[in-house]
Amino acid sequence: MLHSDWLIPQWPAPRAVRALCTTRSSGQSVGPYASLNLGDHVGDQALAVESNREHLQQVLAARPVFLSQVHGTAVIELRRDTLDASVADACYTEEHGLACTIMMADCLPILLTDLDGSFVAAAHAGWRGLAGQAGRGVIESLLESMFEQLAREKTGANQFDPAAILVWLGPCIGATAFVVGPEVKAAFVDQHSAAEDCFQPWSRDKWQADLVGLARLRLQALGVSQIYGNDATQSWCTASNPSKFFSHRRDRISGRMAACIWLD
């Protein structure tokens, strides 16, 4: 059963595209993992995590594929034989019944589809993955890999139309809670000068970083303009809403939520 405080994207996705984002409600875990912890790598009881994942799969009526996320830019295409714990921070699929699934507890989950519902995709965007190397982070890697693969499989599918892409940004740590050092600021500003506006001074050598704003800049630079979800207000901040969201930065010992998108 879908819990009342889980998030359902409000966006103009085709009917066949389904998406949701869990909160910490409606699971079997206890203590700092209470209650719907979906991460099997954070110290929670294995049986509780297994039960929580089974509950999610029942709600989705699709198989959530749980990645081993490493704050990188690797991308995989999900197929029927794709195993859980495959190492990647982004994924996509054209197959029905497989849910692109991103776990998070402060990092930004990004869900994508197009106006035709021809694919679904998801990315895990912490600052390292979002920044990437030489201006090519997880968003750029996902769109490039996805459309290269589609071009190989379908004649004429190599025409990337950013105007047809729909994006939903899920909850993440907000700018007032996300204090970073000069290396984080440099990773973005050195590649995109407009990123300067996403950093506000906090102390002599620290800044408050707007992760959502940085993701929007990267998407807009690729020509993607239909962006929904997280508007950087306090209600979306994982660190500021302890009863609703897990937050690793706030609690250190923390469970993981999941953002899922699939073709029904």
Side-chain angles (χ1 to χ4, degrees):
M1 180 177 179
L2 183 67
H3 195 274
S4 60
D5 75 350
W6 290 10
L7 307 180
I8 305 299
Q10 301 299 307
W11 60 342
R15 184 183 296 272
V17 175
R18 305 288 301 280
L20 63 75
C21 181
T22 68
T23 62
R24 61 185 305 165
S25 302
S26 191
Q28 299 298 315
S29 297
V30 298
Y33 310 107
S35 63
L36 190 68
N37 167 46
L38 296 164
D40 62 358
H41 60 294
V42 294
D44 193 6
Q45 294 292 321
L47 288 177
V49 177
E50 182 180 356
S51 176
N52 292 340
R53 289 186 172 189
E54 288 176 354
H55 173 55
L56 177 63
Q57 182 162 333
Q58 290 171 0
V59 172
L60 300 183
R63 178 194 158 207
V65 181
F66 291 93
L67 305 176
S68 178
Q69 300 167 188
V70 294
H71 298 273
T73 62
V75 180
I76 62 169
E77 180 182 11
L78 300 187
R79 298 185 181 274
R80 295 291 170 185
D81 59 354
T82 302
L83 300 176
D84 284 346
S86 296
V87 178
D89 280 272
C91 58
Y92 65 93
T93 191
E94 298 174 273
E95 297 207 25
H96 290 247
L98 288 179
C100 296
T101 301
I102 296 298
M103 288 185 292
M104 73 286 184
D106 283 331
C107 293
L108 175 67
I110 303 175
L111 305 182
L112 306 91
T113 188
D114 66 357
L115 293 172
D116 294 328
S118 61
F119 71 89
V120 290
H124 165 241
W127 78 261
R128 289 179 178 85
L130 191 59
Q133 296 291 328
R136 186 177 184 273
V138 69
I139 292 174
E140 293 84 0
S141 297
L142 173 58
L143 291 176
E144 179 182 308
S145 298
M146 183 168 57
F147 284 97
E148 283 183 354
Q149 179 65 24
L150 295 179
R152 287 192 291 268
E153 293 178 352
K154 295 182 179 179
T155 302
N158 58 342
Q159 190 65 38
F160 170 51
D161 182 9
I165 302 298
L166 304 173
V167 174
W168 185 79
L169 306 177
C172 71
I173 191 168
T176 58
F178 192 29
V179 178
V180 302
E183 75 285 356
V184 177
K185 184 181 179 185
F188 291 96
V189 177
D190 288 356
Q191 300 298 326
H192 300 273
S193 60
E196 184 80 39
D197 293 337
C198 295
F199 294 88
Q200 299 301 319
W202 187 76
S203 69
R204 185 170 62 87
D205 60 350
K206 299 285 186 181
W207 286 267
Q208 293 175 322
D210 179 3
L211 195 61
V212 172
L214 291 166
R216 285 180 178 271
L217 280 177
R218 289 296 183 95
L219 288 162
Q220 290 163 353
L222 293 168
V224 177
S225 60
Q226 297 196 64
I227 307 171
Y228 302 88
N230 193 330
D231 60 2
T233 53
Q234 200 79 344
S235 63
W236 291 91
C237 176
T238 48
S240 302
N241 295 278
S243 64
K244 188 169 187 176
F245 299 132
F246 291 117
S247 170
H248 175 71
R249 181 166 282 225
R250 181 190 65 227
D251 299 330
R252 296 303 173 186
I253 299 175
S254 171
R256 295 295 186 270
M257 301 169 293
C260 307
I261 185 167
W262 69 103
L263 293 171
D264 196 6

